[in-house]
């Protein structure tokens, strides 16, 4: 199989599981927003609630912060489920393709090919589930930092 064919197979697999890619990316974005909103709520909690001695606003900020933390926890749980499901389905799909390939080619030496393919699948999954969301996270983090810089000034 040539490098172009490898690329097309991987692209087809990514497109097949685009729902998981979108969910993982959206959860990363929501996590970034939460990580930037939490310190703002903490600052308001201290400035208005504690230093201003306004108990109702203090309670409001505490409840808001608790709800945001709960939402963050729920999204992290959903992200974990999506990542595990994605890993399982992708490995299953590639294993089925390998079996079909070996049957069609009437290949008897499947051990080495199976091992190499599983290593490539593991590397691809690791890249897709950690590096891509991390890249999106970094880009959005820079954008939020610029927005916060203009907001503060």
């Amino acid at each position: 199989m040539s490098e172009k064919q490898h690329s097309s197979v991987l692209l087809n697999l990514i497109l097949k599981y685009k729902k998981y890619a979108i969910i993982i990316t959206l959860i990363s974005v929501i996590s970034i927003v939460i990580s930037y909103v939490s310190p703002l709520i903490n600052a308001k909690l201290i400035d208005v609630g504690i230093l201003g001695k306004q108990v109702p606003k203090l309670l409001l900020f505490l409840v808001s912060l608790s709800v945001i933390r709960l939402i963050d926890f729920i999204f992290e749980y959903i992200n974990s489920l999506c990542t595990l499901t994605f890993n399982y389905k992708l490995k299953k799909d590639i294993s089925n393709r390998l079996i079909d390939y070996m049957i069609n080619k009437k290949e008897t030496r499947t051990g080495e090919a199976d091992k190499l393919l599983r290593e490539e699948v593991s590397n691809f999954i690791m890249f897709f589930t950690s590096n891509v969301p991390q890249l999106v996270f970094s880009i959005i983090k820079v954008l939020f930092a610029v927005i916060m810089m203009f907001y503060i000034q």
Side-chain angles (χ1 to χ4, degrees), residues 133-148:
Q134 202 168 28
L135 175 67
V136 171
F137 182 78
S138 298
I139 291 169
I140 294 173
K141 191 174 178 181
V142 168
L143 291 174
F144 271 108
V146 169
I147 291 170
M148 292 299 287

Side-chain angles (χ1 to χ4, degrees), residues 8-148:
S8 69
V9 167
L10 285 177
L11 182 62
N12 286 336
L13 287 173
I14 290 172
L15 292 176
K16 184 176 180 179
Y17 299 107
K18 65 185 171 210
K19 176 178 80 171
Y20 296 106
I22 291 170
I23 290 172
I24 291 170
T25 304
L26 285 176
I27 288 174
S28 296
V29 170
I30 291 169
S31 181
I32 293 167
V33 170
I34 288 173
S35 69
Y36 277 101
V37 168
S38 294
L40 293 175
I41 292 176
N42 282 336
K44 290 288 185 183
L45 186 136
I46 293 169
D47 293 342
V48 176
I50 296 174
L51 297 177
K53 297 182 181 177
Q54 296 179 8
V55 176
K57 287 189 178 182
L58 175 68
L59 292 175
L60 176 70
F61 289 130
L62 283 173
V63 169
S64 299
L65 195 58
S66 298
V67 168
I68 286 175
R69 296 288 183 199
L70 179 65
I71 290 170
D72 189 34
F73 175 75
I74 291 169
F75 280 123
E76 286 299 320
Y77 177 74
I78 293 170
N79 190 19
S80 297
L81 283 179
C82 286
T83 302
L84 288 173
T85 304
F86 170 72
N87 288 345
Y88 171 75
K89 287 186 176 187
L90 186 62
K91 283 182 181 180
K92 181 179 165 189
D93 190 24
I94 290 178
S95 294
N96 289 340
R97 286 178 184 226
L98 177 65
I99 290 168
D100 289 343
Y101 174 77
M102 296 300 174
I103 290 172
N104 291 337
K105 295 287 184 178
K106 296 184 176 134
E107 188 70 39
T108 58
R109 301 167 303 172
T110 61
E112 186 176 331
D114 184 46
K115 180 183 173 197
L116 291 173
L117 189 58
R118 288 186 191 281
E119 286 176 7
E120 285 190 31
V121 169
S122 295
N123 290 336
F124 172 72
I125 290 171
M126 190 180 336
F127 170 77
F128 189 77
T129 58
S130 64
N131 293 345
V132 172
Q134 202 168 28
L135 175 67
V136 171
F137 182 78
S138 298
I139 291 169
I140 294 173
K141 191 174 178 181
V142 168
L143 291 174
F144 271 108
V146 169
I147 291 170
M148 292 299 287

